Amino acid sequence: MEFFTFVLLFLLSCSHDVFSYRITGPTSGVNAQTGERPARRDLRTLQASGAQWDLYIQGVQMFQAANQADLLSWYSVSGIHGRPYRSWDGVNGPYQRGYCTHGSILFPTWHRPYLSLYEQIIWNNTQTIAKQYPTTNRATYQAAADSFRIPYWDWAASAAMPSSLTSSTLTINTPTGSKSVTNPLFRYTFHPTVGAPDFPSGEGFQNAPYTTRSGSAASNLNANAASIHDRTYLLLSRQTSYQPFSNHAYVDSRGNQYDSVEGIHDTIHGLVGGWMGLVPYSAYDPIFWLHHTNVDRLFAIWQALNPGSYGGSQKNTAGTFTIAPGTTETFTTGLTPFHSDAGTALYTSDKVRSTRSFGYTYPEVRDWGLTATQVSANTRAAVKKLYDPNNQFTPRGVSVDKRQGNSDPGKSITIPPSLKNGTARAYREWYANIRVNKFAQQESFFIHMFIGDVPADPATWLQSTPSFVGTFVVFMDNAMNNGQDLKIVGQIPMTRKLVELYNAGTIADLEPRTIRPYLKKNLQWRAQRYDQSEIRLQDLPSLKVFVLSSKVEPPKNKDTDFPTYGDLVPEPAITDGKTGGVPANADAAALAAGNPPA
Ligand SMILES: [Cu+2]
């Protein structure tokens, strides 16, 4: 009997290789012939949808109510990303970290099947819940469930958290009528609370009753709204190569466009803060999934704009739960632990290229019945409409509205005609490049850029400081910190602030002769911990900041085309003599290639 039990347990322990969970995404509402499929929609749009919103909220509640020991519970699925550092669906690994890929060309592709797993579970729940509605409206709810897809939080269009993410209750129509229910998007409540070894002591999360966010999340996001907006537009309109688009790692070949979809993503994690601010715990907060759906959407938009650029290889210095630190990853590297069949096959980046494989699309990138060129053109027009801050280019121009500040990124910033030169009406944009060791501190932290005076009290920096420009977030997992040399990069656009200064009469134009001395005197940066205390810049010896400018020619068609960007020209004299600044005598060719001195 003992032996029989042993054999049975042995067989069961092997069976996960044979019966693993196949990730497909939702399979209803899809036309297999044409490829037509439902779109994931903006959170605010879904909230106005009636039946689909009701099903979504209850579907997430049901997901969160599942036994935490179950493979498909909220606890287990969120745990794939970071802590606990243990296997999911039978995929084992030896390293003390989560499966998630950061500083990696797999950053956008790994999260795609992860989100589809999440979506598949909620969609399954909506199917169950729809059947519980009374016969009078059951057909409506069944149809809503069939085309249900998860929503995204578009922080690039508006960085304020929608009220549906911050209110503790919501009123929805349930199978037993209209009810006020606990809002499952506000926080996840543990049941039971989690102790060691899953959540070790000393990190502040052990036995927490529920997930929380920073008390300053709203003001952090508000201060950065314009910066996030401008960074998103710049990344989509300027970066045409997959590798530097995909991740924040500094590698010699990445060039001098330092921003990435991962870098903008890091900023949102850090600004929301609390559980979201830390890699090992972030996925437990429901806002993580709305945030990452938007990251996947920006990835899909970028793919539609650049259909020919997909692939590459890059060393993953930090590694993951299954990938050894220093491994060179490619597009055939397994996206552990996500299975593409019920056996042992794993998704790879090559297998997740199209959202069609997972039964969803986004409003901007509908692709059925269209050529890749048509999809690109439609997507470009959508991006222009949503994110172009310069969308009022006219020969006569319009004066900048003084009310448009950091808190109102929806307003365009018009480049005044007097700043444009020649027949092409070109003007000059300005950016700050930042490079720093990811493990410069034992924790995640902020680097803020300012043009002008910086208040002495760091607690006020993200609260209506007139000189504030934008935040770069170092989003890391200290468990990966082996003292290895892993540098990450980011770029903060400064043009909006400089145009405001021009309109206020502070500077005469955007040309180097004016901007060089002005920024040399006024450009400053500060480092700050999540607890708002200041990190002295001399304690960040790996920090390198340098300024670049670029000629920009407005597009011929302002509604459908991106501007023409000239080369990024380094301006090392601006940061000369500042702690963390690149000196004036830095190798100009190396800087132009994106490689500041060590
Ligand atoms: Cu993330």
Side-chain angles (χ1 to χ4, degrees):
M1 194 65 185
E2 287 266 300
F3 180 73
F4 176 76
T5 309
F6 172 79
V7 169
L8 189 68
L9 285 172
F10 178 76
L11 286 172
L12 281 171
S13 74
C14 296
S15 66
H16 51 235
D17 288 337
V18 187
F19 302 108
S20 46
Y21 188 78
R22 181 181 174 216
I23 298 172
T24 59
T27 51
S28 61
V30 177
N31 183 325
Q33 267 72 52
T34 62
E36 183 170 352
R37 53 204 189 276
R40 292 179 179 172
R41 293 190 287 168
D42 183 274
L43 179 63
R44 297 173 182 87
T45 312
L46 192 72
Q47 188 167 10
S49 71
Q52 239 166 19
W53 178 253
D54 299 334
L55 290 170
Y56 170 56
I57 295 303
Q58 293 171 92
V60 176
Q61 283 180 328
M62 195 171 157
F63 190 2
Q64 293 183 350
N67 186 323
Q68 291 188 167
D70 292 353
L71 183 75
L72 300 181
S73 66
W74 184 275
Y75 181 71
S76 292
V77 169
S78 299
I80 292 169
H81 190 263
R83 286 196 184 277
Y85 300 145
R86 62 154 180 256
S87 75
W88 186 86
D89 204 17
V91 179
N92 288 302
Y95 305 103
Q96 281 298 300
R97 58 207 63 186
Y99 288 101
C100 67
T101 52
H102 294 105
S104 157
I105 53 166
L106 310 185
F107 169 77
T109 57
W110 183 87
H111 288 83
R112 181 162 282 173
Y114 192 29
L115 287 162
S116 287
L117 164 65
Y118 173 86
E119 182 170 56
Q120 192 171 338
I121 295 168
I122 298 173
W123 165 77
N124 270 323
N125 292 346
T126 66
Q127 293 287 332
T128 305
I129 296 158
K131 292 178 179 60
Q132 297 164 1
Y133 278 82
T135 46
T136 46
N137 56 7
R138 191 177 301 156
T140 304
Y141 278 86
Q142 185 60 58
D146 287 346
S147 60
F148 170 80
R149 298 297 183 271
I150 54 173
Y152 56 85
W153 167 36
D154 186 0
W155 31 252
S158 172
M161 287 181 285
S163 62
S164 58
L165 297 180
T166 56
S167 62
S168 57
T169 59
L170 292 169
T171 300
I172 56 166
N173 184 38
T174 73
T176 52
S178 177
K179 277 186 182 157
S180 172
V181 300
T182 302
N183 179 6
L185 309 180
F186 173 51
R187 64 191 182 195
Y188 173 66
T189 300
F190 291 91
H191 56 90
T193 61
V194 181
D198 283 16
F199 292 178
S201 60
E203 294 191 340
F205 297 88
Q206 195 175 70
N207 294 316
Y210 40 72
T211 59
T212 52
R213 301 170 190 151
S214 165
S216 350
S219 52
N220 290 349
L221 288 161
N222 184 46
N224 273 281
S227 183
I228 293 162
H229 181 89
D230 292 352
R231 288 172 68 180
T232 303
Y233 180 69
L234 198 61
L235 182 72
L236 295 174
S237 64
R238 181 165 197 155
Q239 182 56 265
T240 56
S241 173
Y242 178 81
Q243 183 181 358
F245 165 82
S246 69
N247 76 95
H248 63 208
Y250 169 75
V251 290
D252 283 348
S253 57
R254 78 162 289 136
N256 55 20
Q257 288 174 242
Y258 266 15
D259 214 357
S260 63
V261 73
E262 183 181 19
I264 299 173
H265 142 276
D266 292 347
T267 299
I268 302 296
H269 271 283
L271 297 176
V272 172
W275 291 63
M276 267 287 276
L278 295 154
V279 175
Y281 298 98
S282 58
Y284 293 100
D285 185 334
I287 203 173
F288 171 96
W289 300 95
L290 288 129
H291 167 43
H292 264 279
T293 306
N294 197 46
V295 172
D296 183 69
R297 169 174 161 269
L298 296 179
F299 174 34
I301 287 174
W302 187 89
Q303 286 183 282
L305 295 170
N306 301 279
S309 180
Y310 191 77
S313 65
Q314 185 181 301
K315 193 169 82 168
N316 184 339
T317 305
T320 74
F321 181 59
T322 59
I323 297 172
T327 301
T328 296
E329 296 170 328
T330 71
F331 269 44
T332 58
T333 301
L335 302 176
T336 57
F338 307 126
H339 289 106
S340 59
D341 67 9
T344 57
L346 292 164
Y347 276 107
T348 63
S349 298
D350 280 337
K351 286 196 226 177
V352 305
R353 183 167 190 167
S354 173
T355 59
R356 187 172 172 174
S357 313
F358 297 102
Y360 71 93
T361 187
Y362 293 103
E364 298 82 5
V365 295
R366 290 164 202 268
D367 55 6
W368 49 93
L370 299 171
T371 65
T373 308
Q374 289 170 318
V375 176
S376 279
N378 292 345
T379 305
R380 203 162 50 243
V383 167
K384 296 281 298 184
K385 204 169 164 188
L386 277 169
Y387 303 131
D388 184 357
N390 300 323
N391 64 4
Q392 288 183 16
F393 281 117
T394 65
R396 282 176 292 121
V398 182
S399 68
V400 169
D401 182 339
K402 292 286 179 2
R403 288 167 302 172
Q404 82 194 1
N406 287 330
S407 60
D408 197 1
K411 286 252 173 87
S412 62
I413 182 121
T414 303
I415 304 300
S418 46
L419 287 175
K420 298 177 192 164
N421 300 318
T423 49
R425 295 183 294 118
Y427 69 99
R428 199 160 275 278
E429 294 203 349
W430 293 83
Y431 319 99
N433 268 4
I434 301 168
R435 188 185 75 177
V436 71
N437 194 313
K438 191 167 186 171
F439 303 121
Q441 298 282 299
Q442 306 283 311
E443 60 192 319
S444 298
F445 63 98
F446 301 124
I447 295 171
H448 309 297
M449 303 302 300
F450 300 87
I451 299 177
D453 294 337
V454 182
D457 178 6
T460 67
W461 286 346
L462 297 192
Q463 292 171 356
S464 322
T465 296
S467 60
F468 177 80
V469 179
T471 300
F472 170 74
V473 174
V474 178
F475 177 56
M476 53 83 88
D477 177 357
N478 202 44
M480 299 182 184
N481 184 357
N482 301 322
Q484 66 271 59
D485 181 28
L486 171 48
K487 299 184 183 81
I488 62 170
V489 293
Q491 186 178 74
I492 303 293
M494 300 191 289
T495 313
R496 177 187 292 267
K497 181 65 72 185
L498 293 171
V499 170
E500 285 170 11
L501 289 164
Y502 170 82
N503 281 286
T506 310
I507 52 175
D509 53 47
L510 294 183
E511 298 308 308
R513 61 172 182 263
T514 303
I515 301 301
R516 259 183 221 136
Y518 188 78
L519 286 184
K520 183 160 174 52
K521 182 158 181 278
N522 292 290
L523 178 65
Q524 304 198 57
W525 49 89
R526 295 285 188 276
Q528 187 181 33
R529 297 179 191 87
Y530 282 177
D531 71 4
Q532 299 192 329
S533 62
E534 182 171 4
I535 302 168
R536 298 181 318 160
L537 293 173
Q538 54 266 45
D539 294 335
L540 293 173
S542 65
L543 179 63
K544 294 284 173 247
V545 178
F546 60 108
V547 172
L548 306 115
S549 77
S550 170
K551 207 171 97 172
V552 180
E553 280 179 26
K556 294 219 161 48
N557 185 325
K558 69 183 175 63
D559 296 322
T560 58
D561 297 329
F562 290 146
T564 304
Y565 295 99
D567 290 341
L568 283 160
V569 181
E571 297 280 353
I574 290 172
T575 50
D576 190 63
K578 298 176 195 268
T579 308
V582 159
N585 63 2
D587 182 333
L591 270 190
N595 305 318

mmCIF file of all heavy atoms in Angstrom, residues 7 18 28 40 54 67 86 94 113 134 203 275 428 457 508 511 524 572 589 592:
data_model
loop_
_atom_site.group_PDB
_atom_site.id
_atom_site.type_symbol
_atom_site.label_atom_id
_atom_site.label_comp_id
_atom_site.label_asym_id
_atom_site.label_seq_id
_atom_site.Cartn_x
_atom_site.Cartn_y
_atom_site.Cartn_z
ATOM 1 N N VAL A 7 3.958 5.296 -5.816
ATOM 2 C CA VAL A 7 3.898 5.279 -7.279
ATOM 3 C C VAL A 7 2.838 6.264 -7.773
ATOM 4 O O VAL A 7 3.052 7.027 -8.717
ATOM 5 C CB VAL A 7 3.615 3.843 -7.791
ATOM 6 C CG1 VAL A 7 3.275 3.858 -9.278
ATOM 7 C CG2 VAL A 7 4.805 2.947 -7.516
ATOM 8 N N VAL A 18 2.353 16.508 -18.673
ATOM 9 C CA VAL A 18 1.439 15.989 -19.679
ATOM 10 C C VAL A 18 0.161 16.828 -19.730
ATOM 11 O O VAL A 18 -0.430 17.003 -20.776
ATOM 12 C CB VAL A 18 1.095 14.508 -19.376
ATOM 13 C CG1 VAL A 18 0.275 13.917 -20.509
ATOM 14 C CG2 VAL A 18 2.374 13.708 -19.156
ATOM 15 N N SER A 28 -14.119 32.841 -27.773
ATOM 16 C CA SER A 28 -15.410 33.229 -28.360
ATOM 17 C C SER A 28 -15.322 34.612 -28.984
ATOM 18 O O SER A 28 -14.432 35.396 -28.641
ATOM 19 C CB SER A 28 -16.509 33.209 -27.289
ATOM 20 O OG SER A 28 -16.195 34.129 -26.268
ATOM 21 N N ARG A 40 -9.688 44.706 -26.770
ATOM 22 C CA ARG A 40 -9.562 45.150 -25.382
ATOM 23 C C ARG A 40 -9.817 46.641 -25.409
ATOM 24 O O ARG A 40 -9.301 47.342 -26.281
ATOM 25 C CB ARG A 40 -8.160 44.851 -24.856
ATOM 26 C CG ARG A 40 -7.877 43.370 -24.715
ATOM 27 C CD ARG A 40 -6.457 43.148 -24.221
ATOM 28 N NE ARG A 40 -6.173 41.724 -24.059
ATOM 29 C CZ ARG A 40 -4.957 41.237 -23.793
ATOM 30 N NH1 ARG A 40 -3.925 42.061 -23.672
ATOM 31 N NH2 ARG A 40 -4.777 39.951 -23.651
ATOM 32 N N ASP A 54 -20.459 44.846 -15.855
ATOM 33 C CA ASP A 54 -21.005 44.024 -14.760
ATOM 34 C C ASP A 54 -20.289 42.676 -14.707
ATOM 35 O O ASP A 54 -19.924 42.191 -13.633
ATOM 36 C CB ASP A 54 -22.507 43.782 -14.961
ATOM 37 C CG ASP A 54 -23.320 45.075 -14.975
ATOM 38 O OD1 ASP A 54 -22.867 46.060 -14.367
ATOM 39 O OD2 ASP A 54 -24.398 45.082 -15.606
ATOM 40 N N ASN A 67 -9.428 29.740 -4.185
ATOM 41 C CA ASN A 67 -8.498 29.230 -3.177
ATOM 42 C C ASN A 67 -7.060 29.570 -3.577
ATOM 43 O O ASN A 67 -6.626 29.242 -4.682
ATOM 44 C CB ASN A 67 -8.680 27.708 -3.082
ATOM 45 C CG ASN A 67 -7.856 27.116 -1.955
ATOM 46 O OD1 ASN A 67 -6.733 27.547 -1.688
ATOM 47 N ND2 ASN A 67 -8.423 26.120 -1.286
ATOM 48 N N ARG A 86 8.865 30.244 -6.642
ATOM 49 C CA ARG A 86 8.691 28.802 -6.780
ATOM 50 C C ARG A 86 7.966 28.503 -8.085
ATOM 51 O O ARG A 86 7.480 29.400 -8.761
ATOM 52 C CB ARG A 86 7.943 28.241 -5.571
ATOM 53 C CG ARG A 86 6.547 28.778 -5.394
ATOM 54 C CD ARG A 86 5.679 27.781 -4.625
ATOM 55 N NE ARG A 86 4.351 28.302 -4.463
ATOM 56 C CZ ARG A 86 3.865 28.811 -3.308
ATOM 57 N NH1 ARG A 86 4.596 28.838 -2.224
ATOM 58 N NH2 ARG A 86 2.641 29.269 -3.270
ATOM 59 N N PRO A 94 15.947 27.311 -10.739
ATOM 60 C CA PRO A 94 16.811 27.307 -9.562
ATOM 61 C C PRO A 94 17.119 28.683 -8.965
ATOM 62 O O PRO A 94 17.796 28.749 -7.936
ATOM 63 C CB PRO A 94 18.104 26.681 -10.108
ATOM 64 C CG PRO A 94 18.149 27.110 -11.533
ATOM 65 C CD PRO A 94 16.724 27.307 -11.988
ATOM 66 N N PRO A 113 1.638 36.481 -23.204
ATOM 67 C CA PRO A 113 0.902 35.297 -22.743
ATOM 68 C C PRO A 113 0.504 35.387 -21.269
ATOM 69 O O PRO A 113 -0.518 34.796 -20.866
ATOM 70 C CB PRO A 113 1.880 34.138 -22.976
ATOM 71 C CG PRO A 113 3.224 34.771 -23.121
ATOM 72 C CD PRO A 113 2.987 36.141 -23.673
ATOM 73 N N PRO A 134 -31.228 36.254 -15.000
ATOM 74 C CA PRO A 134 -32.590 35.777 -15.299
ATOM 75 C C PRO A 134 -32.832 35.753 -16.809
ATOM 76 O O PRO A 134 -32.163 36.472 -17.567
ATOM 77 C CB PRO A 134 -33.497 36.795 -14.600
ATOM 78 C CG PRO A 134 -32.636 37.977 -14.301
ATOM 79 C CD PRO A 134 -31.233 37.487 -14.210
ATOM 80 N N GLU A 203 10.578 42.620 4.572
ATOM 81 C CA GLU A 203 10.307 43.363 3.341
ATOM 82 C C GLU A 203 9.023 44.182 3.465
ATOM 83 O O GLU A 203 8.673 44.923 2.550
ATOM 84 C CB GLU A 203 10.232 42.392 2.137
ATOM 85 C CG GLU A 203 11.590 41.741 1.863
ATOM 86 C CD GLU A 203 11.663 40.981 0.541
ATOM 87 O OE1 GLU A 203 10.605 40.610 -0.006
ATOM 88 O OE2 GLU A 203 12.793 40.762 0.065
ATOM 89 N N TRP A 275 2.718 48.352 -3.273
ATOM 90 C CA TRP A 275 3.015 47.033 -3.848
ATOM 91 C C TRP A 275 3.473 47.162 -5.292
ATOM 92 O O TRP A 275 4.366 46.440 -5.741
ATOM 93 C CB TRP A 275 1.777 46.121 -3.763
ATOM 94 C CG TRP A 275 1.441 45.722 -2.364
ATOM 95 C CD1 TRP A 275 1.072 46.549 -1.343
ATOM 96 C CD2 TRP A 275 1.474 44.396 -1.815
ATOM 97 N NE1 TRP A 275 0.882 45.819 -0.199
ATOM 98 C CE2 TRP A 275 1.108 44.497 -0.457
ATOM 99 C CE3 TRP A 275 1.757 43.134 -2.346
ATOM 100 C CZ2 TRP A 275 1.026 43.382 0.378
ATOM 101 C CZ3 TRP A 275 1.668 42.025 -1.517
ATOM 102 C CH2 TRP A 275 1.317 42.145 -0.172
ATOM 103 N N ARG A 428 13.874 72.943 -32.763
ATOM 104 C CA ARG A 428 14.795 72.057 -32.066
ATOM 105 C C ARG A 428 14.160 71.522 -30.783
ATOM 106 O O ARG A 428 13.580 72.271 -30.009
ATOM 107 C CB ARG A 428 16.096 72.817 -31.749
ATOM 108 C CG ARG A 428 17.270 71.919 -31.447
ATOM 109 C CD ARG A 428 18.601 72.639 -31.628
ATOM 110 N NE ARG A 428 19.075 72.622 -32.994
ATOM 111 C CZ ARG A 428 19.730 71.593 -33.543
ATOM 112 N NH1 ARG A 428 19.997 70.508 -32.852
ATOM 113 N NH2 ARG A 428 20.115 71.652 -34.799
ATOM 114 N N ASP A 457 12.808 70.842 0.492
ATOM 115 C CA ASP A 457 12.074 69.718 1.086
ATOM 116 C C ASP A 457 11.682 68.709 0.013
ATOM 117 O O ASP A 457 10.811 68.977 -0.812
ATOM 118 C CB ASP A 457 10.820 70.258 1.791
ATOM 119 C CG ASP A 457 9.982 69.133 2.393
ATOM 120 O OD1 ASP A 457 10.427 67.952 2.355
ATOM 121 O OD2 ASP A 457 8.873 69.438 2.887
ATOM 122 N N ALA A 508 14.929 83.292 -25.433
ATOM 123 C CA ALA A 508 14.652 83.937 -26.718
ATOM 124 C C ALA A 508 14.286 82.950 -27.823
ATOM 125 O O ALA A 508 13.570 83.287 -28.757
ATOM 126 C CB ALA A 508 15.866 84.763 -27.149
ATOM 127 N N GLU A 511 17.381 77.558 -29.806
ATOM 128 C CA GLU A 511 18.653 77.249 -30.463
ATOM 129 C C GLU A 511 19.755 77.010 -29.422
ATOM 130 O O GLU A 511 19.689 77.533 -28.311
ATOM 131 C CB GLU A 511 19.046 78.383 -31.413
ATOM 132 C CG GLU A 511 18.040 78.599 -32.541
ATOM 133 C CD GLU A 511 17.714 77.310 -33.285
ATOM 134 O OE1 GLU A 511 18.647 76.603 -33.726
ATOM 135 O OE2 GLU A 511 16.516 76.987 -33.394
ATOM 136 N N GLN A 524 18.805 70.803 -13.333
ATOM 137 C CA GLN A 524 19.216 70.119 -12.105
ATOM 138 C C GLN A 524 18.524 68.769 -12.042
ATOM 139 O O GLN A 524 17.507 68.548 -12.681
ATOM 140 C CB GLN A 524 18.790 70.914 -10.876
ATOM 141 C CG GLN A 524 19.292 72.344 -10.857
ATOM 142 C CD GLN A 524 19.204 72.921 -9.451
ATOM 143 O OE1 GLN A 524 19.769 72.369 -8.511
ATOM 144 N NE2 GLN A 524 18.473 74.021 -9.329
ATOM 145 N N PRO A 572 27.416 68.092 -24.184
ATOM 146 C CA PRO A 572 28.009 67.771 -22.880
ATOM 147 C C PRO A 572 28.367 68.993 -22.037
ATOM 148 O O PRO A 572 28.434 68.895 -20.814
ATOM 149 C CB PRO A 572 29.266 66.955 -23.250
ATOM 150 C CG PRO A 572 29.550 67.301 -24.670
ATOM 151 C CD PRO A 572 28.237 67.611 -25.308
ATOM 152 N N ALA A 589 31.931 61.622 -30.226
ATOM 153 C CA ALA A 589 31.444 60.535 -31.089
ATOM 154 C C ALA A 589 30.837 59.418 -30.247
ATOM 155 O O ALA A 589 29.780 58.868 -30.594
ATOM 156 C CB ALA A 589 32.586 59.992 -31.945
ATOM 157 N N ALA A 592 27.493 60.590 -28.997
ATOM 158 C CA ALA A 592 26.504 60.578 -30.077
ATOM 159 C C ALA A 592 26.006 59.171 -30.330
ATOM 160 O O ALA A 592 24.861 58.965 -30.742
ATOM 161 C CB ALA A 592 27.102 61.170 -31.348
#
